[in-house]
Amino acid sequence: MLDVQKIRKDFPILKREVNGKLLVYLDNAATSQTPKQVMDAIVDYYSNYNANIHRGVHTLSQEATDKYEAARHKIQNHFNAAESHEIIFTSGTTHSINLVANGFSTLLEKGDELLVSAMEHHSNIVPWQMLAERTGAILKVIPMNLEGELLMDKYDDLLSDKTRLVFCNHISNALGTINPIEEIIQKAHGVGAAVLIDGAQAAPHIKVDVQKLDIDFYTVSAHKMCGPTGVGMLYGKEEWLNKLPPYQGGGEMIAEVTFEKTTYAELPHKFEAGTPNICGGIAFGAALDYMNSIGFEAIAAYEHELLEYATQKLLDIDGLKIYGTAKNKTSVISFNIEGIHPYDIGTILDKLGIAVRTGHHCAQPIMDFYGIPGTVRASFCFYNTKKEVDALVAGVKRAVNMLL
Amino acid sequence: MEIKEIQQEIVEEFSMFDDWMQRYEYMIELGKSLPLIDEKYKTDDNIIKGCQSKVWVHAELENDKLVFTADSDAIITKGIIAILIRAFSDQKPQNIIEADTEFIDEIGLKEHLSPNRANGLVSMIKQLKLYAVAYQTQLN
């Protein structure tokens, strides 16, 4: 069992006050807070070995290159990728998905089919819509039920020898549903389709083994797992990454350049044009070290306890409805109260020092499915406490009293 | 009354409140009493973009003054609109164009002026002024 009071000491921001109240931070699905171990890695980088990587012969450049590549190895080990060059540093999940979507422009033909789940974040919809427009491929949607679970029999019906790609999140940011990705992947592979799993919401909660799950592409944002913003990764199987053309041209990604012809660098550099977010990559590695020092099993068990506790307490409030009641879900609770707009509740909660997300959570199709303008979303991290859940519940009750 | 005087009046009303609770409770009251827009004007064309909640605004010229009616699906937003409409409605377009909005800060609603897309106060003010510009052009 993890020691939450000890862990909270690692996060300086949890001591700050907002509107005169001690911060209760429950917007972890948007971004997680940063422990001092990760901040130390950032300060260490800029204090001791800030330099451009892969090119310099001087000591600082070599040290920075070593640490950056060591971070890549940490990420490889964490996700159990077969090769370190299957880990591509990106600016985050959105960048990762766009890289793959862009690459598939050259691999698709008119009439090819792409399957997307009904519960995707806009970042796992729009790049594929753009791809479909460019190539004449057809985008089809795997529907879900009212609990927020994908209809796997409908998925079976949609799969065919025309299916080229399936993309689905591992965990829904708006509903918390943990999708059965193993089954999704196996079935897609059965028809020869590749699968991209958006792991932005899963990586902070679950230790993922990309080889065991036979994942083709997996995307992660560091800032949702105690790392900094502006850095993330794309895992891609070597055979797929070799098939995709480079995404951006520039320095770092070339083997030889003449005005007649340029040859591209090997993986992973082929996809890493320009000076990367060096410090960010190193801090991403530090964030993984931090989370692994706590342990993903302990994190999952504790967060599940928080989820159960919060669900039960919130459901005691009259008129409160939770969206996303999948049997298998993570510590995200999306809810509304009858007769009250989510924005109003979020505004009052902020006045009480409680940070939640309100709105459509970049998943408008989900809101349309339920026929609502948005929800209030409380998302819990391993540093949250039951006392904070109590503060949320009291805050919601107070908001209801003011607003109704 | 002139816009400036109305704004001063609003500032004085809000200065009576000791804390945010009372300010917000008052805003919620104002929201509930907002003169509603005619249902026929609650169209997609009249929705102000940039608000997390839906906001509809309709403007009509009565004599030489511009009259605003509005609605929102969120009550705090409605309260904000009620304050804005009180300050800007039933005024000459040119005066609306020239009016400043510092009183929002003075009544302790500064957070609603942040360019955060979650709240649309900035978009709302912009829209009211755009209407004023459009009708002023028409008057000219």
mmCIF file of all heavy atoms in Angstrom, chain A residues 21 341-344 347-348 351-352 357-360 373 398 402-404, chain B residues 20-21 24-25 28 32 52-54 73-77 111-112 118-119:
data_model
loop_
_atom_site.group_PDB
_atom_site.id
_atom_site.type_symbol
_atom_site.label_atom_id
_atom_site.label_comp_id
_atom_site.label_asym_id
_atom_site.label_seq_id
_atom_site.Cartn_x
_atom_site.Cartn_y
_atom_site.Cartn_z
ATOM 1 N N LYS A 21 -8.232 28.846 -0.181
ATOM 2 C CA LYS A 21 -8.434 27.467 0.292
ATOM 3 C C LYS A 21 -7.272 26.591 -0.187
ATOM 4 O O LYS A 21 -6.712 26.835 -1.266
ATOM 5 C CB LYS A 21 -9.737 26.889 -0.283
ATOM 6 C CG LYS A 21 -10.974 27.718 0.011
ATOM 7 C CD LYS A 21 -11.526 27.298 1.345
ATOM 8 C CE LYS A 21 -12.876 27.877 1.720
ATOM 9 N NZ LYS A 21 -13.342 29.092 1.203
ATOM 10 N N HIS A 341 -25.981 23.529 -15.147
ATOM 11 C CA HIS A 341 -24.961 23.439 -16.196
ATOM 12 C C HIS A 341 -23.601 23.110 -15.563
ATOM 13 O O HIS A 341 -23.260 23.686 -14.509
ATOM 14 C CB HIS A 341 -24.891 24.784 -16.926
ATOM 15 C CG HIS A 341 -24.166 24.716 -18.236
ATOM 16 N ND1 HIS A 341 -22.797 24.682 -18.315
ATOM 17 C CD2 HIS A 341 -24.614 24.646 -19.512
ATOM 18 C CE1 HIS A 341 -22.438 24.625 -19.592
ATOM 19 N NE2 HIS A 341 -23.524 24.592 -20.336
ATOM 20 N N PRO A 342 -22.821 22.216 -16.173
ATOM 21 C CA PRO A 342 -21.519 21.862 -15.582
ATOM 22 C C PRO A 342 -20.598 23.060 -15.352
ATOM 23 O O PRO A 342 -19.846 23.093 -14.371
ATOM 24 C CB PRO A 342 -20.909 20.881 -16.601
ATOM 25 C CG PRO A 342 -21.768 20.931 -17.825
ATOM 26 C CD PRO A 342 -23.111 21.428 -17.384
ATOM 27 N N TYR A 343 -20.685 24.045 -16.239
ATOM 28 C CA TYR A 343 -19.834 25.233 -16.094
ATOM 29 C C TYR A 343 -20.086 25.941 -14.758
ATOM 30 O O TYR A 343 -19.160 26.419 -14.102
ATOM 31 C CB TYR A 343 -20.101 26.187 -17.266
ATOM 32 C CG TYR A 343 -19.428 27.520 -17.122
ATOM 33 C CD1 TYR A 343 -18.054 27.655 -17.336
ATOM 34 C CD2 TYR A 343 -20.146 28.655 -16.743
ATOM 35 C CE1 TYR A 343 -17.425 28.882 -17.190
ATOM 36 C CE2 TYR A 343 -19.529 29.879 -16.600
ATOM 37 C CZ TYR A 343 -18.171 29.987 -16.825
ATOM 38 O OH TYR A 343 -17.544 31.197 -16.669
ATOM 39 N N ASP A 344 -21.369 25.992 -14.358
ATOM 40 C CA ASP A 344 -21.720 26.657 -13.101
ATOM 41 C C ASP A 344 -21.106 25.922 -11.912
ATOM 42 O O ASP A 344 -20.584 26.545 -10.992
ATOM 43 C CB ASP A 344 -23.250 26.718 -12.947
ATOM 44 C CG ASP A 344 -23.884 27.739 -13.899
ATOM 45 O OD1 ASP A 344 -23.214 28.732 -14.214
ATOM 46 O OD2 ASP A 344 -25.032 27.523 -14.317
ATOM 47 N N THR A 347 -17.353 26.522 -11.782
ATOM 48 C CA THR A 347 -17.012 27.876 -11.338
ATOM 49 C C THR A 347 -17.076 27.976 -9.811
ATOM 50 O O THR A 347 -16.180 28.535 -9.179
ATOM 51 C CB THR A 347 -17.976 28.903 -11.967
ATOM 52 O OG1 THR A 347 -17.924 28.742 -13.386
ATOM 53 C CG2 THR A 347 -17.600 30.323 -11.608
ATOM 54 N N ILE A 348 -18.132 27.426 -9.229
ATOM 55 C CA ILE A 348 -18.260 27.476 -7.764
ATOM 56 C C ILE A 348 -17.168 26.611 -7.106
ATOM 57 O O ILE A 348 -16.548 27.021 -6.117
ATOM 58 C CB ILE A 348 -19.662 26.984 -7.308
ATOM 59 C CG1 ILE A 348 -20.773 27.827 -7.948
ATOM 60 C CG2 ILE A 348 -19.770 26.983 -5.783
ATOM 61 C CD1 ILE A 348 -20.851 29.252 -7.491
ATOM 62 N N LYS A 351 -13.991 28.420 -6.824
ATOM 63 C CA LYS A 351 -14.004 29.396 -5.719
ATOM 64 C C LYS A 351 -13.679 28.716 -4.389
ATOM 65 O O LYS A 351 -13.246 29.350 -3.440
ATOM 66 C CB LYS A 351 -15.379 30.061 -5.646
ATOM 67 C CG LYS A 351 -15.609 31.046 -6.759
ATOM 68 C CD LYS A 351 -14.889 32.330 -6.434
ATOM 69 C CE LYS A 351 -14.700 33.191 -7.658
ATOM 70 N NZ LYS A 351 -13.701 34.240 -7.417
ATOM 71 N N LEU A 352 -13.923 27.420 -4.330
ATOM 72 C CA LEU A 352 -13.641 26.657 -3.108
ATOM 73 C C LEU A 352 -12.255 25.998 -3.171
ATOM 74 O O LEU A 352 -11.922 25.165 -2.333
ATOM 75 C CB LEU A 352 -14.720 25.586 -2.910
ATOM 76 C CG LEU A 352 -16.142 26.127 -2.669
ATOM 77 C CD1 LEU A 352 -17.172 25.032 -2.855
ATOM 78 C CD2 LEU A 352 -16.253 26.733 -1.280
ATOM 79 N N ARG A 357 -12.402 19.643 -14.259
ATOM 80 C CA ARG A 357 -12.589 20.071 -15.646
ATOM 81 C C ARG A 357 -14.084 20.106 -15.916
ATOM 82 O O ARG A 357 -14.821 19.231 -15.454
ATOM 83 C CB ARG A 357 -11.887 19.072 -16.570
ATOM 84 C CG ARG A 357 -12.099 19.296 -18.053
ATOM 85 C CD ARG A 357 -11.081 20.243 -18.650
ATOM 86 N NE ARG A 357 -11.417 20.506 -20.055
ATOM 87 C CZ ARG A 357 -10.839 19.914 -21.086
ATOM 88 N NH1 ARG A 357 -9.888 19.042 -20.881
ATOM 89 N NH2 ARG A 357 -11.197 20.202 -22.331
ATOM 90 N N THR A 358 -14.528 21.097 -16.675
ATOM 91 C CA THR A 358 -15.914 21.101 -17.143
ATOM 92 C C THR A 358 -15.913 21.259 -18.651
ATOM 93 O O THR A 358 -14.944 21.743 -19.224
ATOM 94 C CB THR A 358 -16.731 22.259 -16.535
ATOM 95 O OG1 THR A 358 -16.168 23.490 -16.996
ATOM 96 C CG2 THR A 358 -16.731 22.220 -15.034
ATOM 97 N N GLY A 359 -16.987 20.808 -19.279
ATOM 98 C CA GLY A 359 -17.090 20.984 -20.721
ATOM 99 C C GLY A 359 -17.180 19.657 -21.431
ATOM 100 O O GLY A 359 -17.581 18.645 -20.839
ATOM 101 N N HIS A 360 -16.778 19.662 -22.694
ATOM 102 C CA HIS A 360 -16.947 18.439 -23.500
ATOM 103 C C HIS A 360 -15.700 17.556 -23.504
ATOM 104 O O HIS A 360 -15.683 16.501 -24.110
ATOM 105 C CB HIS A 360 -17.403 18.772 -24.917
ATOM 106 C CG HIS A 360 -16.510 19.757 -25.624
ATOM 107 N ND1 HIS A 360 -15.166 19.524 -25.827
ATOM 108 C CD2 HIS A 360 -16.767 20.965 -26.176
ATOM 109 C CE1 HIS A 360 -14.656 20.556 -26.477
ATOM 110 N NE2 HIS A 360 -15.586 21.446 -26.693
ATOM 111 N N PRO A 373 -24.523 19.041 -22.878
ATOM 112 C CA PRO A 373 -23.536 20.026 -23.364
ATOM 113 C C PRO A 373 -22.131 19.706 -22.870
ATOM 114 O O PRO A 373 -21.143 20.156 -23.436
ATOM 115 C CB PRO A 373 -24.026 21.339 -22.763
ATOM 116 C CG PRO A 373 -24.797 20.963 -21.542
ATOM 117 C CD PRO A 373 -25.407 19.609 -21.838
ATOM 118 N N ARG A 398 -22.569 22.329 -1.907
ATOM 119 C CA ARG A 398 -22.673 23.775 -1.709
ATOM 120 C C ARG A 398 -23.065 24.463 -3.023
ATOM 121 O O ARG A 398 -23.892 25.371 -3.035
ATOM 122 C CB ARG A 398 -21.323 24.298 -1.222
ATOM 123 C CG ARG A 398 -21.407 25.683 -0.668
ATOM 124 C CD ARG A 398 -20.204 25.976 0.200
ATOM 125 N NE ARG A 398 -20.119 27.393 0.471
ATOM 126 C CZ ARG A 398 -19.067 27.970 1.032
ATOM 127 N NH1 ARG A 398 -18.026 27.230 1.377
ATOM 128 N NH2 ARG A 398 -19.059 29.264 1.263
ATOM 129 N N MET A 402 -26.438 26.757 -3.974
ATOM 130 C CA MET A 402 -26.402 28.109 -4.535
ATOM 131 C C MET A 402 -27.130 28.195 -5.858
ATOM 132 O O MET A 402 -27.750 29.211 -6.178
ATOM 133 C CB MET A 402 -24.938 28.537 -4.755
ATOM 134 C CG MET A 402 -24.211 28.933 -3.503
ATOM 135 S SD MET A 402 -22.497 29.386 -3.888
ATOM 136 C CE MET A 402 -22.739 31.033 -4.607
ATOM 137 N N LEU A 403 -27.037 27.142 -6.638
ATOM 138 C CA LEU A 403 -27.449 27.244 -8.044
ATOM 139 C C LEU A 403 -28.898 26.845 -8.295
ATOM 140 O O LEU A 403 -29.503 27.294 -9.258
ATOM 141 C CB LEU A 403 -26.523 26.379 -8.915
ATOM 142 C CG LEU A 403 -25.078 26.882 -8.994
ATOM 143 C CD1 LEU A 403 -24.148 25.790 -9.504
ATOM 144 C CD2 LEU A 403 -24.980 28.111 -9.877
ATOM 145 N N LEU A 404 -29.425 25.972 -7.457
ATOM 146 C CA LEU A 404 -30.793 25.502 -7.751
ATOM 147 C C LEU A 404 -31.855 26.428 -7.141
ATOM 148 O O LEU A 404 -31.651 27.011 -6.112
ATOM 149 C CB LEU A 404 -30.982 24.074 -7.242
ATOM 150 C CG LEU A 404 -30.620 22.961 -8.229
ATOM 151 C CD1 LEU A 404 -31.023 21.614 -7.648
ATOM 152 C CD2 LEU A 404 -31.265 23.126 -9.604
ATOM 153 N N TRP B 20 -16.917 36.341 -1.950
ATOM 154 C CA TRP B 20 -17.292 35.831 -3.274
ATOM 155 C C TRP B 20 -18.652 35.144 -3.262
ATOM 156 O O TRP B 20 -19.404 35.224 -4.225
ATOM 157 C CB TRP B 20 -16.216 34.867 -3.789
ATOM 158 C CG TRP B 20 -16.199 33.547 -3.056
ATOM 159 C CD1 TRP B 20 -15.461 33.235 -1.959
ATOM 160 C CD2 TRP B 20 -16.976 32.396 -3.358
ATOM 161 N NE1 TRP B 20 -15.731 31.963 -1.560
ATOM 162 C CE2 TRP B 20 -16.651 31.415 -2.393
ATOM 163 C CE3 TRP B 20 -17.910 32.072 -4.353
ATOM 164 C CZ2 TRP B 20 -17.231 30.148 -2.391
ATOM 165 C CZ3 TRP B 20 -18.484 30.817 -4.345
ATOM 166 C CH2 TRP B 20 -18.155 29.865 -3.374
ATOM 167 N N MET B 21 -18.973 34.496 -2.138
ATOM 168 C CA MET B 21 -20.246 33.776 -2.045
ATOM 169 C C MET B 21 -21.406 34.722 -2.320
ATOM 170 O O MET B 21 -22.287 34.450 -3.116
ATOM 171 C CB MET B 21 -20.412 33.207 -0.620
ATOM 172 C CG MET B 21 -19.873 31.837 -0.408
ATOM 173 S SD MET B 21 -20.936 30.559 -1.053
ATOM 174 C CE MET B 21 -22.171 30.447 0.218
ATOM 175 N N TYR B 24 -21.469 35.941 -5.909
ATOM 176 C CA TYR B 24 -21.980 34.950 -6.851
ATOM 177 C C TYR B 24 -23.466 34.696 -6.639
ATOM 178 O O TYR B 24 -24.198 34.486 -7.604
ATOM 179 C CB TYR B 24 -21.156 33.654 -6.762
ATOM 180 C CG TYR B 24 -19.975 33.711 -7.693
ATOM 181 C CD1 TYR B 24 -18.870 34.490 -7.386
ATOM 182 C CD2 TYR B 24 -19.978 33.028 -8.907
ATOM 183 C CE1 TYR B 24 -17.793 34.575 -8.242
ATOM 184 C CE2 TYR B 24 -18.898 33.109 -9.770
ATOM 185 C CZ TYR B 24 -17.807 33.870 -9.436
ATOM 186 O OH TYR B 24 -16.754 33.961 -10.305
ATOM 187 N N GLU B 25 -23.890 34.730 -5.377
ATOM 188 C CA GLU B 25 -25.332 34.544 -5.130
ATOM 189 C C GLU B 25 -26.127 35.666 -5.783
ATOM 190 O O GLU B 25 -27.185 35.440 -6.368
ATOM 191 C CB GLU B 25 -25.599 34.467 -3.618
ATOM 192 C CG GLU B 25 -25.425 33.048 -3.110
ATOM 193 C CD GLU B 25 -25.401 32.934 -1.602
ATOM 194 O OE1 GLU B 25 -25.385 33.978 -0.908
ATOM 195 O OE2 GLU B 25 -25.388 31.787 -1.119
ATOM 196 N N ILE B 28 -26.202 35.091 -9.492
ATOM 197 C CA ILE B 28 -27.143 34.022 -9.829
ATOM 198 C C ILE B 28 -28.575 34.586 -9.812
ATOM 199 O O ILE B 28 -29.377 34.300 -10.694
ATOM 200 C CB ILE B 28 -26.976 32.828 -8.854
ATOM 201 C CG1 ILE B 28 -25.621 32.153 -9.123
ATOM 202 C CG2 ILE B 28 -28.111 31.830 -8.998
ATOM 203 C CD1 ILE B 28 -25.120 31.255 -8.005
ATOM 204 N N LYS B 32 -31.181 34.798 -12.911
ATOM 205 C CA LYS B 32 -32.550 34.264 -12.927
ATOM 206 C C LYS B 32 -33.553 35.318 -13.397
ATOM 207 O O LYS B 32 -34.609 34.984 -13.918
ATOM 208 C CB LYS B 32 -32.917 33.748 -11.532
ATOM 209 C CG LYS B 32 -32.217 32.428 -11.197
ATOM 210 C CD LYS B 32 -32.524 31.944 -9.792
ATOM 211 C CE LYS B 32 -31.775 30.640 -9.511
ATOM 212 N NZ LYS B 32 -31.762 30.303 -8.085
ATOM 213 N N GLN B 52 -18.007 28.233 -23.015
ATOM 214 C CA GLN B 52 -18.245 26.824 -22.716
ATOM 215 C C GLN B 52 -19.742 26.567 -22.594
ATOM 216 O O GLN B 52 -20.241 25.518 -22.961
ATOM 217 C CB GLN B 52 -17.546 26.471 -21.405
ATOM 218 C CG GLN B 52 -17.231 25.010 -21.311
ATOM 219 C CD GLN B 52 -16.451 24.694 -20.060
ATOM 220 O OE1 GLN B 52 -17.012 24.513 -18.988
ATOM 221 N NE2 GLN B 52 -15.144 24.619 -20.187
ATOM 222 N N SER B 53 -20.443 27.582 -22.074
ATOM 223 C CA SER B 53 -21.902 27.489 -22.041
ATOM 224 C C SER B 53 -22.432 28.188 -23.293
ATOM 225 O O SER B 53 -21.739 28.994 -23.897
ATOM 226 C CB SER B 53 -22.424 28.173 -20.787
ATOM 227 O OG SER B 53 -21.799 29.424 -20.619
ATOM 228 N N LYS B 54 -23.666 27.867 -23.646
ATOM 229 C CA LYS B 54 -24.247 28.506 -24.826
ATOM 230 C C LYS B 54 -24.763 29.891 -24.456
ATOM 231 O O LYS B 54 -25.426 30.055 -23.435
ATOM 232 C CB LYS B 54 -25.408 27.666 -25.347
ATOM 233 C CG LYS B 54 -24.971 26.517 -26.222
ATOM 234 C CD LYS B 54 -26.172 25.838 -26.852
ATOM 235 C CE LYS B 54 -25.703 24.676 -27.712
ATOM 236 N NZ LYS B 54 -26.765 23.689 -27.908
ATOM 237 N N ASP B 73 -27.475 28.833 -21.212
ATOM 238 C CA ASP B 73 -27.889 27.602 -20.527
ATOM 239 C C ASP B 73 -27.190 27.452 -19.174
ATOM 240 O O ASP B 73 -27.483 26.544 -18.411
ATOM 241 C CB ASP B 73 -27.682 26.360 -21.417
ATOM 242 C CG ASP B 73 -26.266 26.220 -21.947
ATOM 243 O OD1 ASP B 73 -25.449 27.156 -21.730
ATOM 244 O OD2 ASP B 73 -25.959 25.202 -22.579
ATOM 245 N N ALA B 74 -26.253 28.345 -18.856
ATOM 246 C CA ALA B 74 -25.581 28.303 -17.542
ATOM 247 C C ALA B 74 -25.970 29.551 -16.757
ATOM 248 O O ALA B 74 -25.991 30.652 -17.301
ATOM 249 C CB ALA B 74 -24.069 28.240 -17.716
ATOM 250 N N ILE B 75 -26.264 29.366 -15.491
ATOM 251 C CA ILE B 75 -26.858 30.454 -14.711
ATOM 252 C C ILE B 75 -25.846 31.550 -14.360
ATOM 253 O O ILE B 75 -26.168 32.734 -14.361
ATOM 254 C CB ILE B 75 -27.579 29.895 -13.450
ATOM 255 C CG1 ILE B 75 -28.470 30.964 -12.816
ATOM 256 C CG2 ILE B 75 -26.629 29.325 -12.444
ATOM 257 C CD1 ILE B 75 -29.729 31.237 -13.570
ATOM 258 N N ILE B 76 -24.607 31.168 -14.072
ATOM 259 C CA ILE B 76 -23.604 32.201 -13.746
ATOM 260 C C ILE B 76 -23.320 33.037 -14.990
ATOM 261 O O ILE B 76 -23.198 34.256 -14.923
ATOM 262 C CB ILE B 76 -22.315 31.568 -13.167
ATOM 263 C CG1 ILE B 76 -22.624 30.959 -11.794
ATOM 264 C CG2 ILE B 76 -21.199 32.603 -13.052
ATOM 265 C CD1 ILE B 76 -21.493 30.143 -11.193
ATOM 266 N N THR B 77 -23.268 32.369 -16.125
ATOM 267 C CA THR B 77 -23.082 33.093 -17.382
ATOM 268 C C THR B 77 -24.249 34.062 -17.591
ATOM 269 O O THR B 77 -24.051 35.201 -18.019
ATOM 270 C CB THR B 77 -23.004 32.097 -18.551
ATOM 271 O OG1 THR B 77 -22.081 31.077 -18.206
ATOM 272 C CG2 THR B 77 -22.560 32.777 -19.819
ATOM 273 N N GLU B 111 -11.718 37.281 -13.025
ATOM 274 C CA GLU B 111 -11.385 35.952 -13.553
ATOM 275 C C GLU B 111 -12.187 35.627 -14.816
ATOM 276 O O GLU B 111 -11.759 34.861 -15.650
ATOM 277 C CB GLU B 111 -11.587 34.850 -12.498
ATOM 278 C CG GLU B 111 -13.031 34.614 -12.064
ATOM 279 C CD GLU B 111 -13.361 35.302 -10.749
ATOM 280 O OE1 GLU B 111 -12.817 36.395 -10.504
ATOM 281 O OE2 GLU B 111 -14.163 34.745 -9.980
ATOM 282 N N HIS B 112 -13.345 36.285 -14.940
ATOM 283 C CA HIS B 112 -14.154 36.024 -16.132
ATOM 284 C C HIS B 112 -13.630 36.771 -17.354
ATOM 285 O O HIS B 112 -14.142 36.611 -18.455
ATOM 286 C CB HIS B 112 -15.612 36.385 -15.868
ATOM 287 C CG HIS B 112 -16.233 35.503 -14.841
ATOM 288 N ND1 HIS B 112 -16.672 34.245 -15.129
ATOM 289 C CD2 HIS B 112 -16.431 35.686 -13.512
ATOM 290 C CE1 HIS B 112 -17.138 33.693 -14.017
ATOM 291 N NE2 HIS B 112 -16.986 34.528 -13.024
ATOM 292 N N ALA B 118 -12.893 28.757 -21.510
ATOM 293 C CA ALA B 118 -13.995 28.209 -20.715
ATOM 294 C C ALA B 118 -15.075 29.250 -20.456
ATOM 295 O O ALA B 118 -16.241 28.938 -20.370
ATOM 296 C CB ALA B 118 -13.469 27.667 -19.391
ATOM 297 N N ASN B 119 -14.665 30.493 -20.304
ATOM 298 C CA ASN B 119 -15.688 31.505 -20.072
ATOM 299 C C ASN B 119 -15.676 32.509 -21.207
ATOM 300 O O ASN B 119 -14.648 32.824 -21.771
ATOM 301 C CB ASN B 119 -15.480 32.179 -18.725
ATOM 302 C CG ASN B 119 -14.136 32.848 -18.641
ATOM 303 O OD1 ASN B 119 -13.869 33.777 -19.380
ATOM 304 N ND2 ASN B 119 -13.291 32.372 -17.761
#
